[in-house]
Amino acid sequence: MSTPTTGQRQYAKTPGQRARILDAAMAVFARRGERGASLREIAERVGMSQAGVLHHFGSKNALLLAVLDRFDQEDQPGHPLLTIDESVAFVREELVQGLQRPGLFQLQITLAAESIDPAHPAHDFFVDRYRRVTSQFVEPLDAAAASGGLRDDVDTTALAHLVMGAMEGLQLHHALNPEVDTVASFDLLLDVLAEAFIVSSTPDQV
Amino acid sequence: MSTPTTGQRQYAKTPGQRARILDAAMAVFARRGERGASLREIAERVGMSQAGVLHHFGSKNALLLAVLDRFDQEDQPGHPLLTIDESVAFVREELVQGLQRPGLFQLQITLAAESIDPAHPAHDFFVDRYRRVTSQFVEPLDAAAASGGLRDDVDTTALAHLVMGAMEGLQLHHALNPEVDTVASFDLLLDVLAEAFIVSSTPDQV
DNA sequence: GTCTATATTAAGATAGAC
DNA sequence: GTCTATCTTAATATAGAC
């Protein structure tokens, strides 16, 4: 029963090829944006024709959605972020990783900025994504505030937006000027915030 | 001599029309990016044909450069920024203005992100721009550090990048989610930084 | 599955009338 | 100065052979 002869013939669309196309699409979208990227450039990277790429994904739009889907997974924390320490460690690690895999952040920034346009095919995705990521960050902050780990007069929402905004803005600057040390600036922010807002039994703890 | 009859006839290319086209181009580039914008959409806004627009600027690329030129001017401080207070007040005011003129910041973010691609026509402009804006910020910080207004163990470059990065990242988030209060988050940052690094004779001063 | 060939659409740019 | 008409190019997508 491994290859049914009845019913519609299921073309495997070999997962291997799909993955290779996704890799290439991710890189090209990251460099050129969705609007600047062409199926031909993606196809060229994979070593096939433009029609070959479309055979696997049907349309450029579907390919974009598949890329966003995978991006979302790669970007997900392995476990739920319950404490501030975990959240901070997670985003900081993302920043460090980003230095070695510039493609991931570049994809994020390039597509997110393009997506400001409500007519952009990834608009809804990014609107939703930022909502999710924000709450993922606000929740540990609120929990900490409730349990006394954080000064209780802090606007946790403003704080979460600040940290996320700084992270992304720094990445944008870094992409345009590699001299920008994203991690140094981000650590500066984390240190200052910790000093100002974290109520800690043992001092000097981030 | 107001209209010389000798020599090459100088078509005025009425400054009024040029300005109207620039306005429209700025708005459309801000919404769609350079790659997503079309001369036709710009022309439609002005109420003329695509060929009419090209008559005034020659090419889409030239139009883009004209837009960047004007953007740079509108964004320039009226006077040199000598102290930290002046610099901070200036960028904060920009942020506040940005809420009422979303087009300006949207232009900045959208084109800057597109420009990460070295092949983008505005790449050099933004690389240069970030260099300039950064030094405009680092200089007052260094001056303050030298004169004792700032703790002298601060990495002023990292600090400048942090402030600029936060500003832009917050704008990006705001563009995708209007609930993001850019000014609130930015003020949070400024307060915390001032508290941590500014050596002030009178306390509580930003 | 992958190719070549082609249909279709949309873009920037040019030519020439008015 | 502005228009219409057209050239040229490049893109997505489809059809059909292998």
Side-chain angles (χ1 to χ4, degrees), chain A residues 134 137-138 141 154-167 189 192-193 197, chain B residues 91-92 95-96 99 162-163 165-174 177-194:
Chain A
T134 301
F137 219 92
V138 171
L141 286 172
V154 185
D155 180 345
T156 52
T157 304
L159 187 54
H161 288 149
L162 172 59
V163 172
M164 293 188 344
M167 194 168 79
L189 174 65
V192 175
L193 289 178
F197 296 131
Chain B
V91 297
R92 189 180 180 282
L95 204 60
V96 172
L99 291 177
L162 172 59
V163 172
M167 194 167 79
E168 225 149 313
L170 285 168
Q171 281 296 137
L172 173 59
H173 282 174
H174 176 77
N177 176 7
E179 284 172 23
V180 173
D181 186 337
T182 55
V183 177
S185 287
F186 194 64
D187 280 346
L188 189 61
L189 174 65
L190 292 180
D191 286 350
V192 175
L193 289 178

Side-chain angles (χ1 to χ4, degrees), chain A residues 107-185:
Chain A
L107 182 74
Q108 147 102 356
I109 295 167
T110 305
L111 290 188
E114 261 187 329
S115 297
I116 295 174
D117 182 3
H120 192 281
H123 178 78
D124 290 346
F125 173 86
F126 277 101
V127 168
D128 182 63
R129 180 169 201 277
Y130 278 121
R131 288 236 164 75
R132 271 185 295 128
V133 178
T134 301
S135 65
Q136 218 174 51
F137 219 92
V138 171
E139 281 158 15
L141 286 172
D142 282 340
S147 69
L150 206 68
R151 262 177 49 189
D152 58 2
D153 61 337
V154 185
D155 180 345
T156 52
T157 304
L159 187 54
H161 288 149
L162 172 59
V163 172
M164 293 188 344
M167 194 168 79
E168 225 149 313
L170 285 168
Q171 281 296 136
L172 172 58
H173 282 175
H174 176 77
L176 281 160
N177 176 8
E179 285 172 23
V180 172
D181 185 337
T182 55
V183 177
S185 287

Side-chain angles (χ1 to χ4, degrees), chain B residues 65-112:
Chain B
L65 294 180
V67 164
L68 292 176
D69 219 57
R70 198 173 96 172
F71 167 67
D72 228 13
Q73 285 162 15
E74 295 202 21
D75 195 51
Q76 219 53 224
H79 49 92
L81 306 173
L82 298 175
T83 69
I84 297 182
D85 280 1
E86 281 176 345
S87 293
V88 166
F90 175 69
V91 297
R92 189 180 180 282
E93 181 59 22
E94 272 199 307
L95 204 60
V96 172
Q97 296 281 345
L99 291 177
Q100 284 142 2
R101 296 190 55 190
L104 259 195
F105 261 103
Q106 201 143 316
L107 183 75
Q108 146 102 355
I109 295 167
T110 306
L111 290 188

